[in-house]
Amino acid sequence: MRSIVTKTPSETKSLGTALAKRLKGGDVVALYGGLGMGKTVFVKGLAAGLGLEDEVTSPTFALVHEYGRNSTIDGNPPLIHFDMYRVSGWDDLYSTGFFDYLDAGGILVVEWSENIEAALPENTIRVYFEKPNEDCRRIEIEGAEGVEF
């Protein structure tokens, strides 16, 4: 597991961009951490690193956003962004389409992954966000060995 401290949203976004360079279709990135930790900023970096120009926003109310849907034409997988904050059981999880997306070949990134831990694939990349103080974020990444940050 690698631990990185970021001091600005731009640094958090850059960390997501660096991780994106290693991702491929079928990968799942699970994000853990409370409100205001920088998870959506990190996803903006993932999208940028994948060459996607979509505006990334939190899927809190929609539960799922798809970015780069047409990118499969270019050979790049889409980025599927989930927010599992309000998911509290298997029925809720099924209603998000999560399992269908797992088999669709996109890159899945899941905020509030702690709510669906039992459903995550074994090879999931896990990203943990902590806020030791107002001036920084500690981000620990597990399962992304060989990535330069």
Side-chain angles (χ1 to χ4, degrees):
M1 184 172 334
R2 180 96 189 265
S3 182
I4 299 100
V5 173
T6 64
K7 296 182 178 174
T8 65
S10 178
E11 288 180 2
T12 300
K13 183 178 177 182
S14 293
L15 186 58
T17 301
L19 178 60
K21 306 285 186 213
R22 163 238 194 266
L23 298 177
K24 62 188 180 322
D27 283 343
V28 176
V29 180
L31 307 180
Y32 300 83
L35 292 169
M37 294 294 212
K39 295 183 302 288
T40 301
V41 170
F42 185 83
V43 177
K44 289 179 182 188
L46 288 174
L50 294 169
L52 304 176
E53 297 179 8
D54 304 67
E55 180 182 349
V56 173
T57 59
S58 177
T60 300
F61 298 105
L63 298 183
V64 63
H65 287 164
E66 294 183 42
Y67 306 114
R69 176 180 275 203
N70 296 326
S71 66
T72 54
I73 296 168
D74 302 329
N76 297 322
L79 181 65
I80 314 302
H81 183 193
F82 287 93
D83 185 314
M84 299 298 185
Y85 182 74
R86 293 179 289 149
V87 172
S88 61
W90 288 101
D91 289 340
D92 288 347
L93 183 57
Y94 278 107
S95 73
T96 67
F98 178 76
F99 295 104
D100 295 325
Y101 282 112
L102 274 177
D103 297 328
I107 297 168
L108 278 59
V109 60
V110 184
E111 295 191 35
W112 298 96
S113 291
E114 46 272 69
N115 292 348
I116 65 157
E117 184 67 42
L120 295 172
E122 186 176 317
N123 60 344
T124 297
I125 297 166
R126 288 172 166 77
V127 184
Y128 302 92
F129 292 79
E130 295 178 351
K131 189 176 178 181
N133 61 56
E134 281 301 313
D135 298 328
C136 69
R137 306 287 187 274
R138 179 178 302 117
I139 302 169
E140 294 184 348
I141 302 176
E142 177 182 296
E145 288 71 21
V147 177
E148 287 296 321
F149 298 110

